[in-house]
Amino acid sequence: MTANPAHTSLWPAPHASGAVDATVHVPGSKSVTNRALVLAALASEPGWLRRPLRSRDTLLMAGALRAMGIEIEEGVGPDGTGEAWRVLPTSLRGPATVDVGNAWHGDAVPPPVAALADGPVRFDGDPRSYERPLNGVIDALRHLGARIDDDGRGALPLTVHGGGALDGGTVSVDASSSSQFVSALLLSAPRFNQGVEVRHTGSTLPSMPHIRMTVDMLRAVGAQVDSPESGGEPNVWRVTPGALLGRDLTIEPDLSNAQPFLAAALVTGGRVVIPDWPARTTQGGDRLREIFTDMGGSCELTEYGLVFTGSGSVHGIDVDLGDVGELAPGIAAVAALADSPSTLRGVAHLRLHETDRLAALTKEINELGGDVTETADGLHIRPRPLHGGVFHTYEDHRMATAAAVIGLGVEGVRVENVATTAKTLPDFPDLWTGMLGA
């Protein structure tokens, strides 16, 4: 079989010749876009999504919903300005085939949505998706009344035999490996006959901001949700059955995808402005303001957006990233260029992401001369003089952007398959060279 040129080509990561000074318009949030698509598809009336992210993951989501009968019109907003999607909900139907790519759980089309379809819906994806355990959501759905055929794998590919409705009720799930198990169940719960009560039974629960995002977005479309942060029982979420409203929603910039650009300001001692940074958000990426300030930068949130400035020094950090594991690759890249050691904690679950991110970061940074060791739940990084070389990405978008950050301070870094950034950040190479004034 002929290799895909996009996967074998090497992108020379630009080396910074001085401090960056740029304004970078970061595309919309993948997590918000995909949740908004699901909620709009399950609503009782049409809705609008303004400034949606158009990336591999969100286009796969839109395509999957269309395969189940949802009409999604692309054009401009109701006021005639700005790119927007109009979602026209209808009864979900099969047979349909859903390609989840390399996404999973709540950020792909959740199997709970397919359980509401009238007919079978088959889920398939990239080879890496077959390695990700889905027992939590599969077992939970079966307990709630769904019929799922996975040949005992507990993973993709699988078929959900939808009956047009789902009983719902109370279910226990161990979401220690991913908060998306909880989000996937909650998003569809208002359409379950009895709603749902989800009880998390595991000892840890990573990425809590993603669950808070799901809860906030459910409430914004009229769902009644009881959650721990609103005074409810710890590790228990209850969603009451009811109709969802169609909304006119503007998608926030993806704050996690702002990370490499903020890192560029930190690493080069420069200044980067991210327009439209929200004053209030459930996105975990908002923690970058705190983390990168602790690593040597400073920031100001203005009416226009976030202004982040590097001091010319990069300091190591000891930080628990359990709630924001998606930030770990970029923080590891900055830490490899710091003036003191760093320890990243609370991210054992990253071993089950697009790739085993802890093993991949350790291998790739060390092959450039670094000194990274895995711990039980993270990484310990001792800065060393780095040299150029090939940085493999394992079809993981955050590995690619981490490599670009290292390339700012290290000449000769070549990134394998930088095109994988299209998963959540289309046109990343052009945005990156544009930031550098190239």
Side-chain angles (χ1 to χ4, degrees), residues 346-357:
V347 288
H349 59 286
L350 295 189
R351 294 187 170 100
L352 294 172
H353 276 221
E354 280 79 348
T355 187
D356 179 342
R357 284 179 171 165

Side-chain angles (χ1 to χ4, degrees), residues 350-438:
L350 295 189
R351 294 187 170 100
L352 294 172
H353 276 221
E354 280 79 348
T355 187
D356 179 342
R357 284 179 171 165
L358 301 185
L361 287 164
T362 299
K363 177 178 182 294
E364 298 307 317
I365 295 175
N366 286 351
E367 288 194 352
L368 299 182
D371 185 359
V372 182
T373 55
E374 283 192 59
T375 65
D377 71 338
L379 299 173
H380 187 61
I381 303 166
R382 291 165 290 272
R384 296 286 186 271
L386 301 181
H387 55 72
V390 175
F391 196 104
H392 299 92
T393 61
Y394 309 89
E395 299 189 41
D396 185 337
H397 55 131
R398 301 211 188 276
M399 289 292 293
T401 53
V405 170
I406 292 175
L408 291 174
V410 180
E411 291 193 67
V413 173
R414 292 168 293 156
V415 185
E416 174 259 345
N417 189 19
V418 73
T420 195
T421 53
K423 174 180 168 68
T424 62
L425 189 50
D427 305 321
F428 169 73
D430 289 341
L431 286 171
W432 196 248
T433 54
M435 171 192 69
L436 295 169

Side-chain angles (χ1 to χ4, degrees), residues 241-376:
L244 298 179
L245 305 173
R247 291 297 196 197
D248 184 342
L249 175 68
T250 299
I251 306 297
E252 297 176 356
D254 193 314
L255 306 189
S256 295
N257 277 340
Q259 181 183 39
F261 306 102
L262 300 181
L266 184 57
V267 167
T268 68
R271 175 180 177 273
V272 167
V273 180
I274 308 293
D276 303 317
W277 193 287
R280 177 189 175 276
T281 180
T282 53
Q283 288 191 64
D286 195 44
R287 267 197 72 194
L288 287 167
R289 293 192 287 157
E290 166 201 338
I291 294 169
F292 278 171
T293 295
D294 289 345
M295 296 187 81
S298 62
C299 64
E300 180 186 4
L301 190 58
T302 70
E303 290 186 1
Y304 181 69
L306 181 71
V307 181
F308 186 84
T309 307
S311 63
S313 298
V314 181
H315 310 310
I317 191 171
D318 187 327
V319 62
D320 188 326
L321 300 175
D323 280 352
V324 287
E326 70 271 18
L327 303 181
I331 293 171
V334 173
L337 302 172
D339 57 15
S340 57
S342 295
T343 300
L344 312 187
R345 308 179 186 275
V347 288
H349 59 286
L350 295 189
R351 294 187 170 100
L352 294 172
H353 276 221
E354 280 79 348
T355 187
D356 179 342
R357 284 179 171 165
L358 301 185
L361 287 164
T362 299
K363 177 178 182 294
E364 298 307 317
I365 295 175
N366 286 351
E367 288 194 352
L368 299 182
D371 185 359
V372 182
T373 55
E374 283 192 59
T375 65

Side-chain angles (χ1 to χ4, degrees), residues 46-49 66 71-76 84-88:
W48 290 91
L49 275 64
R66 286 178 173 128
E71 188 175 346
I72 302 173
E73 299 176 346
E74 302 191 38
V76 296
W85 289 344
R86 186 171 187 240
V87 182
L88 304 172

Side-chain angles (χ1 to χ4, degrees), residues 50-68:
R50 298 176 187 252
R51 292 169 56 183
L53 174 66
R54 293 180 55 85
S55 71
R56 186 189 185 207
D57 279 4
T58 60
L59 293 175
L60 284 172
M61 171 70 86
L65 292 171
R66 286 178 173 128
M68 288 187 280

Side-chain angles (χ1 to χ4, degrees), residues 224-245:
Q224 182 177 331
V225 186
D226 294 326
S227 63
E229 55 272 15
S230 58
E233 189 177 346
N235 291 328
V236 177
W237 294 263
R238 297 182 180 90
V239 180
T240 302
L244 298 179
L245 305 173

